[in-house]
């Protein structure tokens, strides 16, 4: 299998002697993409799409508009890559925010909105008061599923109460469990998204907070739980009481991810006063 450039901005997917897929990028942003029906559902399309983006100098976070999908399979393919139709039926993929004038939480929320699709399975590895779990439930919709984890019973209760009040208990639920044991809750390759909002539970005693000895195994488990194309986000804090060790460990963990397996973007908010939390947006290739 190989990528063949057939003209400027145009590529074909060659398998043995035959071309089984074609892609064209017009104006650098408008993607026409197809794989012959008999070769779909076997990973050829995913490989071809990644190679085309790479050849065009684009990353998974860049904005694109796609030609109208021809059928349900093509629609599902685009949805898995973060495209969604607008009111006119045109399929767009929103960019990841690049500015640094915002906050870590705003960056990861924008990333979820751009890349989480209805029907997805998402894990909130730090349920806390359930604000993030609620947003995830809204984004995955009634056909999706959200599992939230926390080691504090009051966080689990607060999250489940928030979901019940919003009528979303059928979509999400919180369980009393450490994210270090995430592998027992999400099989390898099963999750579309795993999100971490590290730190302590706002409104509770600050003595319980996330720590590198459980966060790092949880990140490993999250990376394994993601399906290809799925994403992981982390908000990492470094002010009192936990200090900077966890944030440093998380950034080092992300730096060590193999580039051929993961796309990583860091938002450090350097230059902002105080201890601005860092955001990581990571996509599994
Ligand atoms: C900053 S809060 C999360 C905020 C939450 N996402 C929200 O929207 O309200 C961090 C949470 O991580 C939880 N936590 C700490 N260690 C944990 C662990 N090992 N496994 C799961 N949750 C943990 C804390 O109890 C706390 O509730």
């Amino acid at each position: 299998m190989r990528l063949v450039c057939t003209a400027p901005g145009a590529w074909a997917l060659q398998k043995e002697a035959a071309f089984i897929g074609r892609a064209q990028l017009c104006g650098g942003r408008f993607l026409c993409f197809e794989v012959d029906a008999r070769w779909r559902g076997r990973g050829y399309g995913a490989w071809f799409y990644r190679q085309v983006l790479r050849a065009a100098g684009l990353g998974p976070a860049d904005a694109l508009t796609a030609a109208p999908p021809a059928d349900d399979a093509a629609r599902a393919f685009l949805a898995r890559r973060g495209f969604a139709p607008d009111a006119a039926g045109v399929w767009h993929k929103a960019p990841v925010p690049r500015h640094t004038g915002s906050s870590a939480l705003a960056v990861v929320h924008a990333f979820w909105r751009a890349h989480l699709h209805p029907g997805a399975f998402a894990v909130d590895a730090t349920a806390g008061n359930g604000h993030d779990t609620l947003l995830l439930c809204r984004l995955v919709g009634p056909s999706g599923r959200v599992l939230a984890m926390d080691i504090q019973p009051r966080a689990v209760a607060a999250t489940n109460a928030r979901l019940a009040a919003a009528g979303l208990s059928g979509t999400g639920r919180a369980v009393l469990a450490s994210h270090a044991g995430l592998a027992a809750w999400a099989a390898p390759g099963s999750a579309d998204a795993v999100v971490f909002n590290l730190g302590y539970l706002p409104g509770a005693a600050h003595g319980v907070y996330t720590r590198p000895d459980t966060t790092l195994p949880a990140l490993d488990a999250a990376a394994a739980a993601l399906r290809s194309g799925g994403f992981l986000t982390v908000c990492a804090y470094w002010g009192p009481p936990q200090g900077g060790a966890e944030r440093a460990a998380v950034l080092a963990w992300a730096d060590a991810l193999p580039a051929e397996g993961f796309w990583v973007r860091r938002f450090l908010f350097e230059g902002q006063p105080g201890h601005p939390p860092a955001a990581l947006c990571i996509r599994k290739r």
Side-chain angles (χ1 to χ4, degrees):
M1 183 162 60
R2 78 189 180 101
L3 183 77
V4 179
C5 183
T6 52
W11 297 269
L13 172 60
Q14 184 176 16
K15 181 170 167 48
E16 289 151 16
F19 288 149
I20 65 167
R22 285 146 293 275
Q24 187 164 9
L25 201 58
C26 305
R29 292 282 174 223
F30 184 81
L31 179 70
C32 300
F33 184 91
E34 63 164 6
V35 170
D36 295 345
R38 63 180 286 240
W39 295 105
R40 292 187 196 159
R42 307 190 202 181
Y44 291 108
W47 185 87
F48 185 33
Y49 177 79
R50 283 198 303 273
Q51 298 302 318
V52 166
L53 288 196
R54 191 169 296 168
L58 295 168
D62 286 306
L64 279 176
T65 298
D71 51 31
D72 283 350
R75 262 187 288 282
F77 181 89
L78 289 180
R80 282 199 297 277
R81 277 147 195 90
F83 287 83
D86 65 13
V90 180
W91 285 64
H92 302 278
K93 182 160 75 67
V96 173
R98 290 171 189 283
H99 57 86
T100 53
S102 188
S103 69
L105 205 52
V107 164
V108 300
H109 284 176
F111 193 81
W112 303 354
R113 288 196 172 92
H115 298 290
L116 205 52
H117 56 86
F121 170 40
V123 178
D124 182 348
T126 50
N129 288 316
H131 299 286
D132 292 327
T133 311
L134 182 68
L135 175 57
L136 291 170
C137 285
R138 293 205 161 115
L139 292 172
V140 303
S143 58
R145 187 162 69 89
V146 178
L147 173 79
M149 313 175 76
D150 207 292
I151 51 170
Q152 298 197 63
R154 67 177 281 179
V156 172
T159 298
N160 282 329
R162 191 175 297 283
L163 298 183
L168 290 168
S169 300
T171 305
R173 73 177 172 122
V175 295
L176 186 65
S178 169
H179 44 223
L182 194 145
W185 298 88
S190 67
D192 296 284
V194 184
V195 308
F196 292 78
N197 188 352
L198 301 172
Y200 56 80
L201 178 63
H206 293 179
V208 180
Y209 48 81
T210 54
R211 292 166 192 270
D213 60 341
T214 42
T215 301
L216 295 183
L219 288 170
D220 284 338
L226 288 179
R227 65 166 178 79
S228 169
F231 69 79
L232 167 57
T233 65
V234 187
C235 285
Y237 302 82
W238 56 304
Q242 74 253 41
E246 184 181 50
R247 178 183 180 275
V250 167
L251 293 175
W253 177 88
D255 280 349
L257 287 171
E260 63 277 16
F262 296 89
W263 168 94
V264 178
R265 185 158 288 175
R266 303 150 42 120
F267 300 83
L268 300 183
F269 302 95
E270 286 160 318
Q272 285 192 10
H275 298 92
L280 282 172
C281 297
I282 298 171
R283 205 183 251 288
K284 191 170 186 174
R285 295 190 196 277

